[in-house]
Amino acid sequence: LFLFHMFALRSVRHVGLAGQRLMARNTAMVHTEAHMKEIGITLPAYQDAVWSYVKAQRDGDKLYIGDHVGQDESAVTVRGKVGEEGMEGAEVTPEEAEMLARNAGLRLLSTLSHYLDGDLDRVDQVIKVVGIVNGTPDFRGHGKVINGCSDVLVEVLGDRGKHARTCTGSGSLPAAVTCEMVVRVKARERRGRSEDNEEIGSCFVVMPVEGRGSVQREAPEQPLLLDGL
């Protein structure tokens, strides 16, 4: 009987610790959408692809997001070459282009949200951003333009938004757009009941057997549903 109580206490403690880990994990959830509301960021409406391609493609835990171009606040694509004042052929200032890159970043987040069922907490990490600027031949401020996209990813996602980056200029871009962004992201599967319950490893339980004293049996290794946590 003493051994039964000891092993039972050990099993209860095991379950209790697992429950505490689960509660801590749930408390640590990011809740990106609530964070965006706090900092005053609203994502633009998702824009679907218009030709024979898709906006994003999943490969395992990676999401590859295709080109997102610079648009203004009315979702109108801005066209023209980026350059400093006085540069031949310049149509868009670097400051305007940086804002367009930021808007492209917001649209990237909107596409991510669409493909992740409205749950940006599923973003584990933005891995890589590629930014291309349609600049004049002598323009050198490509990096500052693409900062608009990089900065908004970090504002929304925190450390999960920090990424490796390639930034380059182009003599022309499709439809003469000012800038375009491509992103690769690591994302988790959709949360379900199985992910909301901590799996409890095997433990020994002492079970009295009539006429044979106490027998130790190993509990099966299967999830224990911790409803209400």
Side-chain angles (χ1 to χ4, degrees):
L1 184 60
F2 174 75
L3 288 175
F4 172 77
H5 285 298
M6 289 294 292
F7 277 101
L9 180 61
R10 180 180 177 184
S11 300
V12 170
R13 184 180 297 114
H14 190 180
V15 173
L17 290 174
Q20 292 174 15
R21 289 197 300 270
L22 176 61
M23 293 178 67
R25 185 184 67 187
N26 289 341
T27 302
M29 289 173 62
V30 179
H31 297 307
T32 309
E33 288 71 22
H35 171 64
M36 285 192 296
K37 186 175 181 180
E38 289 176 359
I39 62 177
I41 288 180
T42 302
L43 298 183
Y46 169 70
Q47 298 177 5
D48 206 354
V50 295
W51 303 111
S52 55
Y53 61 91
V54 293
K55 297 300 284 285
Q57 191 65 264
R58 178 183 284 273
D59 180 16
D61 62 354
K62 306 296 190 301
L63 266 174
Y64 295 83
I65 314 295
D67 294 354
H68 282 59
V69 303
Q71 295 183 340
D72 64 18
E73 287 72 14
S74 301
V76 175
T77 299
V78 177
R79 310 178 196 280
K81 285 194 170 293
V82 181
E84 301 285 355
E85 184 178 355
M87 288 183 176
E88 184 177 357
E91 302 165 280
V92 179
T93 69
E95 293 74 22
E96 291 169 337
E98 183 178 359
M99 183 56 65
L100 293 170
R102 179 183 177 86
N103 290 346
L106 291 172
R107 291 181 54 235
L108 283 165
L109 289 166
S110 177
T111 297
L112 266 176
S113 179
H114 174 82
Y115 277 83
L116 297 177
D117 305 306
D119 184 5
L120 288 175
D121 282 358
R122 290 172 59 191
V123 175
D124 267 347
Q125 192 67 47
V126 179
I127 299 172
K128 180 72 179 285
V129 170
V130 176
I132 307 173
V133 179
N134 184 9
T136 61
D138 48 356
F139 180 63
R140 299 181 180 180
H142 307 82
K144 186 175 186 302
V145 171
I146 304 305
N147 284 346
C149 177
S150 294
D151 289 349
V152 77
L153 292 176
V154 175
E155 286 175 34
V156 171
L157 299 171
D159 286 343
R160 297 177 298 141
K162 293 182 178 179
H163 49 270
R165 191 175 86 172
T166 297
C167 177
T168 186
S170 174
S172 65
L173 286 175
V177 298
T178 299
C179 59
E180 63 182 26
M181 312 294 156
V182 180
V183 173
R184 184 170 64 181
V185 174
K186 181 180 179 183
R188 297 192 301 271
E189 294 292 336
R190 178 167 49 188
R191 287 195 295 265
R193 183 181 180 87
S194 63
E195 295 182 15
D196 291 333
N197 297 283
E198 187 80 17
E199 184 172 344
I200 306 301
S202 61
C203 59
F204 283 98
V205 179
V206 179
M207 301 182 64
V209 179
E210 185 176 356
R212 297 183 182 179
S214 297
V215 178
Q216 294 183 4
R217 295 183 181 177
E218 189 172 3
E221 294 188 359
Q222 55 183 340
L224 177 63
L225 301 181
L226 303 176
D227 290 326
L229 292 180

